[in-house]
Amino acid sequence: MPASAARPRPGPGQPTASPFPLLLLAVLSGPVSGRVPRSVPRTSLPISEADSCLTRFAVPHTYNYSVLLVDPASHTLYVGARDTIFALSLPFSGERPRRIDWMVPEAHRQNCRKKGKKEDECHNFVQILAIANASHLLTCGTFAFDPKCGVIDVSRFQQVERLESGRGKCPFEPAQRSAAVMAGGVLYAATVKNYLGTEPIITRAVGRAEDWIRTDTLPSWLNAPAFVAAVALSPAEWGDEDGDDEIYFFFTETSRAFDSYERIKVPRVARVCAGDLGGRKTLQQRWTTFLKADLLCPGPEHGRASSVLQDVAVLRPELGAGTPIFYGIFSSQCSNL
Ligand SMILES: *[C@@H]1O[C@H](CO)[C@@H](O)[C@H](O)[C@H]1NC(C)=O
Ligand SMILES: *[C@@H]1O[C@H](CO)[C@@H](O)[C@H](O)[C@H]1NC(C)=O
Protein backbone atom coordinates (compact mmCIF):
# COMPACT_ATOMS: atom_id res chain seq x y z
CA MET A 1 0.00 0.00 0.00
CA PRO A 2 1.37 3.44 -0.81
CA ALA A 3 2.54 5.12 2.35
CA SER A 4 0.53 8.23 1.75
CA ALA A 5 -2.71 6.31 1.93
CA ALA A 6 -1.98 5.51 5.55
CA ARG A 7 -1.31 9.12 6.39
CA PRO A 8 -4.54 11.07 6.46
CA ARG A 9 -4.03 14.70 5.67
CA PRO A 10 -6.64 16.66 7.50
CA GLY A 11 -7.44 20.06 6.12
CA PRO A 12 -6.84 23.09 8.28
CA GLY A 13 -10.10 23.10 10.15
CA GLN A 14 -12.08 26.09 11.19
CA PRO A 15 -13.07 25.96 14.80
CA THR A 16 -16.79 25.38 14.58
CA ALA A 17 -19.02 26.89 17.19
CA SER A 18 -21.43 24.01 16.83
CA PRO A 19 -21.19 20.90 14.70
CA PHE A 20 -21.94 22.04 11.16
CA PRO A 21 -25.50 21.06 10.32
CA LEU A 22 -25.17 17.79 8.48
CA LEU A 23 -27.91 18.52 6.08
CA LEU A 24 -26.15 21.53 4.66
CA LEU A 25 -23.61 19.18 3.21
CA ALA A 26 -26.18 16.85 1.93
CA VAL A 27 -27.76 18.38 -1.02
CA LEU A 28 -25.05 19.80 -3.19
CA SER A 29 -26.34 20.09 -6.71
CA GLY A 30 -24.52 18.56 -9.66
CA PRO A 31 -23.56 14.98 -10.40
CA VAL A 32 -23.39 12.70 -7.43
CA SER A 33 -20.16 10.85 -7.19
CA GLY A 34 -17.82 9.58 -4.55
CA ARG A 35 -14.96 10.57 -6.81
CA VAL A 36 -14.08 14.19 -7.21
CA PRO A 37 -10.92 14.23 -9.27
CA ARG A 38 -9.48 17.72 -9.49
CA SER A 39 -11.50 19.91 -7.20
CA VAL A 40 -9.86 21.19 -4.05
CA PRO A 41 -12.18 21.53 -1.09
CA ARG A 42 -12.39 24.97 0.45
CA THR A 43 -11.30 25.10 4.03
CA SER A 44 -13.58 27.93 5.02
CA LEU A 45 -16.78 29.41 3.77
CA PRO A 46 -18.67 32.39 5.18
CA ILE A 47 -22.10 31.28 6.25
CA SER A 48 -23.71 33.90 3.99
CA GLU A 49 -22.02 32.38 0.95
CA ALA A 50 -22.82 28.85 2.06
CA ASP A 51 -26.50 29.69 2.12
CA SER A 52 -26.55 30.61 -1.54
CA CYS A 53 -25.05 27.37 -2.82
CA LEU A 54 -26.78 24.89 -0.55
CA THR A 55 -30.26 23.50 -0.54
CA ARG A 56 -31.85 22.77 2.78
CA PHE A 57 -34.00 19.81 3.54
CA ALA A 58 -36.11 19.35 6.64
CA VAL A 59 -39.55 17.92 7.25
CA PRO A 60 -41.86 19.48 9.85
CA HIS A 61 -42.14 17.48 13.09
CA THR A 62 -39.18 15.28 12.20
CA TYR A 63 -36.10 15.87 14.31
CA ASN A 64 -32.58 14.65 14.94
CA TYR A 65 -31.32 14.11 11.41
CA SER A 66 -28.30 12.06 12.28
CA VAL A 67 -26.93 10.05 9.39
CA LEU A 68 -26.51 10.49 5.64
CA LEU A 69 -25.74 7.97 2.94
CA VAL A 70 -25.30 8.65 -0.76
CA ASP A 71 -25.82 5.80 -3.20
CA PRO A 72 -24.03 6.98 -6.35
CA ALA A 73 -25.47 4.10 -8.39
CA SER A 74 -29.08 5.11 -7.87
CA HIS A 75 -28.48 8.86 -7.35
CA THR A 76 -30.18 8.68 -4.01
CA LEU A 77 -29.46 10.35 -0.71
CA TYR A 78 -30.71 8.45 2.33
CA VAL A 79 -31.25 10.42 5.51
CA GLY A 80 -31.73 8.86 8.93
CA ALA A 81 -33.60 10.84 11.56
CA ARG A 82 -35.65 10.16 14.68
CA ASP A 83 -38.13 7.34 13.91
CA THR A 84 -37.77 8.06 10.18
CA ILE A 85 -35.64 7.28 7.11
CA PHE A 86 -35.93 9.37 3.95
CA ALA A 87 -34.86 8.70 0.37
CA LEU A 88 -34.20 11.81 -1.73
CA SER A 89 -33.46 11.74 -5.43
CA LEU A 90 -30.38 13.66 -6.42
CA PRO A 91 -29.96 16.35 -7.50
CA PHE A 92 -32.59 17.34 -4.99
CA SER A 93 -35.21 19.68 -6.36
CA GLY A 94 -37.57 19.92 -3.43
CA GLU A 95 -40.03 17.16 -4.26
CA ARG A 96 -41.54 15.06 -1.50
CA PRO A 97 -39.04 12.42 -0.45
CA ARG A 98 -40.00 8.80 0.01
CA ARG A 99 -40.03 7.91 3.69
CA ILE A 100 -40.19 4.98 6.08
CA ASP A 101 -41.51 5.45 9.58
CA TRP A 102 -39.55 3.16 11.85
CA MET A 103 -41.14 3.64 15.24
CA VAL A 104 -40.75 1.96 18.60
CA PRO A 105 -43.91 0.10 19.72
CA GLU A 106 -45.70 1.81 22.61
CA ALA A 107 -45.11 -1.03 25.09
CA HIS A 108 -41.40 -0.81 24.35
CA ARG A 109 -41.47 2.95 24.89
CA GLN A 110 -43.19 2.49 28.24
CA ASN A 111 -40.48 0.09 29.27
CA CYS A 112 -37.89 2.65 28.32
CA ARG A 113 -39.59 5.31 30.45
CA LYS A 114 -39.83 2.87 33.36
CA LYS A 115 -36.07 2.55 33.27
CA GLY A 116 -35.98 6.25 34.05
CA LYS A 117 -35.20 7.53 30.57
CA LYS A 118 -36.72 10.75 29.32
CA GLU A 119 -39.75 10.57 27.04
CA ASP A 120 -37.73 12.45 24.44
CA GLU A 121 -35.01 9.80 24.37
CA CYS A 122 -37.34 6.79 24.15
CA HIS A 123 -37.45 6.96 20.38
CA ASN A 124 -35.65 5.22 17.58
CA PHE A 125 -32.71 7.40 16.60
CA VAL A 126 -31.41 6.03 13.31
CA GLN A 127 -27.62 5.74 13.59
CA ILE A 128 -26.53 3.48 10.74
CA LEU A 129 -27.41 3.43 7.05
CA ALA A 130 -25.26 1.28 4.78
CA ILE A 131 -25.53 -0.21 1.32
CA ALA A 132 -25.75 -3.99 1.82
CA ASN A 133 -26.05 -4.82 -1.88
CA ALA A 134 -27.76 -3.56 -5.01
CA SER A 135 -31.23 -4.24 -3.63
CA HIS A 136 -30.98 -3.69 0.12
CA LEU A 137 -29.84 -1.21 2.75
CA LEU A 138 -28.82 -2.11 6.24
CA THR A 139 -30.00 0.20 9.01
CA CYS A 140 -29.69 0.35 12.79
CA GLY A 141 -31.33 2.58 15.36
CA THR A 142 -31.26 3.07 19.13
CA PHE A 143 -34.87 1.77 19.41
CA ALA A 144 -35.56 3.27 22.83
CA PHE A 145 -32.30 2.10 24.41
CA ASP A 146 -32.55 -1.36 22.87
CA PRO A 147 -30.64 -1.04 19.58
CA LYS A 148 -32.02 -2.89 16.57
CA CYS A 149 -30.88 -3.46 13.01
CA GLY A 150 -32.84 -4.47 9.94
CA VAL A 151 -32.83 -4.34 6.15
CA ILE A 152 -34.73 -2.19 3.66
CA ASP A 153 -35.69 -3.28 0.17
CA VAL A 154 -34.78 -0.08 -1.70
CA SER A 155 -37.03 -0.61 -4.68
CA ARG A 156 -40.11 -0.68 -2.44
CA PHE A 157 -38.77 1.52 0.38
CA GLN A 158 -41.69 0.76 2.66
CA GLN A 159 -40.41 -0.82 5.82
CA VAL A 160 -37.47 -2.03 7.86
CA GLU A 161 -37.61 -5.82 7.81
CA ARG A 162 -35.93 -8.70 9.59
CA LEU A 163 -35.24 -6.86 12.82
CA GLU A 164 -32.47 -8.23 15.00
CA SER A 165 -30.40 -7.04 17.93
CA GLY A 166 -28.16 -4.08 17.16
CA ARG A 167 -25.91 -4.51 20.21
CA GLY A 168 -22.28 -4.01 19.34
CA LYS A 169 -23.26 -2.27 16.11
CA CYS A 170 -25.34 0.67 17.25
CA PRO A 171 -25.25 2.67 20.51
CA PHE A 172 -28.10 2.57 23.03
CA GLU A 173 -28.13 6.28 23.55
CA PRO A 174 -28.82 8.87 20.85
CA ALA A 175 -26.09 11.23 22.05
CA GLN A 176 -23.38 8.58 21.83
CA ARG A 177 -21.35 8.98 18.67
CA SER A 178 -20.76 5.96 16.48
CA ALA A 179 -19.67 5.13 12.94
CA ALA A 180 -20.11 2.20 10.61
CA VAL A 181 -19.33 1.16 7.07
CA MET A 182 -20.12 -1.83 4.91
CA ALA A 183 -17.30 -3.48 2.92
CA GLY A 184 -17.42 -6.77 1.04
CA GLY A 185 -20.95 -7.34 2.30
CA VAL A 186 -19.84 -7.09 5.94
CA LEU A 187 -20.59 -4.40 8.53
CA TYR A 188 -17.70 -2.77 10.39
CA ALA A 189 -18.96 -0.76 13.35
CA ALA A 190 -17.42 1.54 15.93
CA THR A 191 -19.73 2.06 18.87
CA VAL A 192 -20.32 1.15 22.52
CA LYS A 193 -21.54 -2.29 23.39
CA ASN A 194 -23.17 -1.79 26.79
CA TYR A 195 -26.15 0.12 28.09
CA LEU A 196 -24.03 2.50 30.15
CA GLY A 197 -21.96 3.42 27.13
CA THR A 198 -18.68 2.66 28.89
CA GLU A 199 -17.43 -0.18 26.68
CA PRO A 200 -16.27 1.10 23.31
CA ILE A 201 -15.80 -1.41 20.54
CA ILE A 202 -14.67 -1.60 16.93
CA THR A 203 -15.98 -4.76 15.40
CA ARG A 204 -16.51 -6.76 12.25
CA ALA A 205 -20.11 -7.75 12.89
CA VAL A 206 -20.67 -10.88 10.85
CA GLY A 207 -22.15 -14.19 11.99
CA ARG A 208 -22.65 -14.97 15.67
CA ALA A 209 -21.63 -12.21 18.10
CA GLU A 210 -19.14 -14.59 19.80
CA ASP A 211 -17.30 -14.93 16.50
CA TRP A 212 -16.93 -11.23 15.76
CA ILE A 213 -13.41 -9.88 15.47
CA ARG A 214 -13.14 -6.86 17.75
CA THR A 215 -11.12 -4.57 19.97
CA ASP A 216 -10.49 -5.35 23.63
CA THR A 217 -12.17 -3.22 26.26
CA LEU A 218 -8.93 -1.67 27.43
CA PRO A 219 -8.02 2.03 27.43
CA SER A 220 -4.91 1.26 25.40
CA TRP A 221 -7.15 0.18 22.52
CA LEU A 222 -9.85 2.84 22.87
CA ASN A 223 -10.20 5.39 25.66
CA ALA A 224 -13.64 7.02 25.84
CA PRO A 225 -13.75 7.56 22.08
CA ALA A 226 -16.26 9.75 20.23
CA PHE A 227 -16.39 8.18 16.78
CA VAL A 228 -17.08 10.38 13.77
CA ALA A 229 -16.51 8.32 10.62
CA ALA A 230 -15.64 4.93 9.19
CA VAL A 231 -14.22 4.56 5.69
CA ALA A 232 -13.40 1.40 3.73
CA LEU A 233 -10.59 1.59 1.19
CA SER A 234 -9.67 -0.98 -1.38
CA PRO A 235 -6.06 -0.79 -2.61
CA ALA A 236 -7.41 -1.76 -6.04
CA GLU A 237 -8.69 1.82 -6.14
CA TRP A 238 -5.14 3.03 -6.59
CA GLY A 239 -3.95 0.18 -8.76
CA ASP A 240 -2.72 -2.28 -6.11
CA GLU A 241 -4.68 -5.37 -7.04
CA ASP A 242 -3.16 -7.62 -4.34
CA GLY A 243 -3.65 -5.45 -1.26
CA ASP A 244 -6.21 -6.34 1.42
CA ASP A 245 -9.12 -3.97 1.97
CA GLU A 246 -8.63 -1.63 4.90
CA ILE A 247 -11.12 0.00 7.21
CA TYR A 248 -10.33 3.36 8.82
CA PHE A 249 -12.08 4.71 11.89
CA PHE A 250 -11.83 8.37 12.88
CA PHE A 251 -12.52 9.55 16.42
CA THR A 252 -11.51 11.78 19.29
CA GLU A 253 -10.41 10.02 22.45
CA THR A 254 -9.05 10.93 25.85
CA SER A 255 -5.29 10.85 25.98
CA ARG A 256 -3.61 8.53 28.45
CA ALA A 257 -0.27 10.21 28.01
CA PHE A 258 -0.83 13.04 30.44
CA ASP A 259 -1.23 12.40 34.09
CA SER A 260 -2.90 15.73 34.45
CA TYR A 261 -5.97 17.13 36.05
CA GLU A 262 -7.36 18.16 32.71
CA ARG A 263 -8.61 15.49 30.35
CA ILE A 264 -6.77 15.99 27.10
CA LYS A 265 -8.61 15.11 23.92
CA VAL A 266 -6.72 13.76 20.94
CA PRO A 267 -7.98 13.16 17.42
CA ARG A 268 -7.05 9.71 16.15
CA VAL A 269 -7.36 7.33 13.25
CA ALA A 270 -7.38 3.55 13.66
CA ARG A 271 -7.00 1.02 10.90
CA VAL A 272 -7.81 -2.67 10.57
CA CYS A 273 -7.52 -5.04 7.63
CA ALA A 274 -10.59 -6.74 6.20
CA GLY A 275 -8.83 -10.11 6.01
CA ASP A 276 -7.92 -10.13 9.74
CA LEU A 277 -9.02 -13.44 11.29
CA GLY A 278 -7.82 -12.65 14.80
CA GLY A 279 -4.97 -14.34 16.63
CA ARG A 280 -4.53 -18.06 17.25
CA LYS A 281 -3.15 -18.30 20.77
CA THR A 282 -3.27 -14.70 21.87
CA LEU A 283 -5.66 -12.10 20.55
CA GLN A 284 -8.34 -14.66 19.78
CA GLN A 285 -11.35 -12.89 18.21
CA ARG A 286 -9.34 -9.70 18.47
CA TRP A 287 -7.85 -7.57 15.71
CA THR A 288 -4.22 -8.40 14.96
CA THR A 289 -3.94 -5.57 12.40
CA PHE A 290 -5.24 -2.78 14.65
CA LEU A 291 -3.08 0.32 14.37
CA LYS A 292 -3.77 3.73 15.83
CA ALA A 293 -2.21 7.08 14.97
CA ASP A 294 -2.63 10.72 16.00
CA LEU A 295 -4.09 13.27 13.66
CA LEU A 296 -2.61 16.71 13.81
CA CYS A 297 -4.44 19.87 12.97
CA PRO A 298 -2.34 22.83 14.10
CA GLY A 299 -4.58 25.78 14.87
CA PRO A 300 -3.83 29.21 13.45
CA GLU A 301 -4.54 30.89 16.77
CA HIS A 302 -2.01 30.85 19.60
CA GLY A 303 -0.35 27.81 18.04
CA ARG A 304 -2.90 25.68 19.79
CA ALA A 305 -3.92 22.49 18.08
CA SER A 306 -7.55 21.89 17.30
CA SER A 307 -8.11 18.62 18.99
CA VAL A 308 -11.72 17.61 18.54
CA LEU A 309 -12.56 15.88 15.32
CA GLN A 310 -16.05 16.72 14.09
CA ASP A 311 -16.22 14.95 10.76
CA VAL A 312 -14.14 13.32 8.04
CA ALA A 313 -14.71 12.88 4.33
CA VAL A 314 -12.65 10.97 1.80
CA LEU A 315 -11.85 12.02 -1.76
CA ARG A 316 -11.18 8.91 -3.77
CA PRO A 317 -8.82 9.00 -6.73
CA GLU A 318 -9.78 8.25 -10.28
CA LEU A 319 -8.99 4.58 -10.91
CA GLY A 320 -5.29 3.95 -10.64
CA ALA A 321 -4.29 7.62 -10.37
CA GLY A 322 -3.19 8.92 -6.98
CA THR A 323 -4.22 7.87 -3.52
CA PRO A 324 -7.24 8.74 -1.44
CA ILE A 325 -7.17 11.95 0.59
CA PHE A 326 -9.03 12.39 3.86
CA TYR A 327 -10.38 15.77 4.88
CA GLY A 328 -11.23 16.42 8.51
CA ILE A 329 -13.17 19.14 10.28
CA PHE A 330 -11.71 19.94 13.69
CA SER A 331 -12.71 22.20 16.50
CA SER A 332 -10.96 23.27 19.66
CA GLN A 333 -11.32 21.49 22.96
CA CYS A 334 -11.87 24.85 24.61
CA SER A 335 -15.37 25.78 23.59
CA ASN A 336 -14.52 29.50 23.51
CA LEU A 337 -11.98 29.08 20.70
C1 LIG B 1 -33.51 15.93 19.06
O1 LIG B 1 -34.05 17.14 18.56
C2 LIG B 1 -34.72 17.91 19.55
C3 LIG B 1 -35.40 19.08 18.86
O2 LIG B 1 -34.51 19.78 18.03
C4 LIG B 1 -33.68 18.36 20.60
O3 LIG B 1 -34.32 19.08 21.61
C5 LIG B 1 -33.03 17.10 21.19
O4 LIG B 1 -32.01 17.48 22.08
C6 LIG B 1 -32.45 16.22 20.10
N1 LIG B 1 -31.99 15.00 20.69
C7 LIG B 1 -30.78 14.49 20.42
C8 LIG B 1 -30.47 13.23 21.10
O5 LIG B 1 -29.98 15.04 19.68
C1 LIG C 1 -29.06 -8.46 -0.55
O1 LIG C 1 -29.15 -8.33 0.87
C2 LIG C 1 -30.38 -8.80 1.39
C3 LIG C 1 -30.39 -8.47 2.87
O2 LIG C 1 -29.27 -8.96 3.54
C4 LIG C 1 -30.54 -10.28 1.12
O3 LIG C 1 -31.76 -10.75 1.62
C5 LIG C 1 -30.50 -10.50 -0.39
O4 LIG C 1 -30.56 -11.88 -0.67
C6 LIG C 1 -29.22 -9.91 -0.97
N1 LIG C 1 -29.29 -9.99 -2.41
C7 LIG C 1 -28.25 -10.43 -3.13
C8 LIG C 1 -28.46 -10.41 -4.61
O5 LIG C 1 -27.22 -10.80 -2.64
Side-chain angles (χ1 to χ4, degrees), residues 132-133 135-136 151 162:
N133 58 31
S135 61
H136 285 77
V151 297
R162 283 190 263 155

Side-chain angles (χ1 to χ4, degrees), residues 267-302:
R268 294 244 156 93
V269 55
R271 184 221 65 182
V272 296
C273 294
D276 193 337
L277 299 174
R280 285 188 149 194
K281 291 227 168 73
T282 58
L283 291 178
Q284 285 174 4
Q285 314 306 137
R286 302 293 184 273
W287 298 108
T288 59
T289 55
F290 183 89
L291 287 179
K292 194 162 78 166
D294 288 354
L295 299 172
L296 196 60
C297 179
E301 294 140 48
H302 324 301

Side-chain angles (χ1 to χ4, degrees), residues 16-163:
T16 43
S18 63
F20 200 66
L22 269 180
L23 284 175
L24 288 183
L25 298 172
V27 214
L28 301 168
S29 50
V32 187
S33 163
R35 298 165 197 283
V36 185
R38 277 168 298 276
S39 49
V40 177
R42 295 163 72 170
T43 54
S44 69
L45 190 65
I47 203 80
S48 54
E49 239 181 280
D51 268 351
S52 67
C53 58
L54 293 167
T55 311
R56 283 170 193 267
F57 164 75
V59 170
H61 312 299
T62 302
Y63 307 100
N64 311 109
Y65 301 87
S66 48
V67 57
L68 301 174
L69 172 73
V70 172
D71 179 10
S74 64
H75 291 240
T76 306
L77 170 69
Y78 297 102
V79 180
R82 187 171 95 178
D83 301 326
T84 319
I85 300 164
F86 297 99
L88 283 68
S89 311
L90 294 176
F92 182 62
S93 51
E95 79 277 20
R96 259 173 89 112
R98 293 183 291 158
R99 69 182 282 167
I100 292 174
D101 293 308
W102 186 21
M103 324 273 284
V104 183
E106 188 48 41
H108 218 83
R109 281 172 49 77
Q110 269 176 20
N111 238 336
C112 174
R113 288 192 294 265
K114 273 195 213 129
K115 286 185 207 155
K117 296 297 178 182
K118 287 194 221 104
E119 158 73 35
D120 231 26
E121 296 174 324
C122 292
H123 284 273
N124 186 24
F125 296 84
V126 176
Q127 301 284 323
I128 296 179
L129 285 171
I131 297 170
N133 58 31
S135 61
H136 285 77
L137 292 185
L138 175 82
T139 184
C140 303
T142 58
F143 218 78
F145 289 83
D146 181 20
K148 295 260 187 280
C149 296
V151 297
I152 298 171
D153 177 339
V154 291
S155 60
R156 294 193 294 128
F157 205 73
Q158 279 176 350
Q159 56 179 337
V160 180
E161 299 167 284
R162 283 190 263 155
L163 285 198

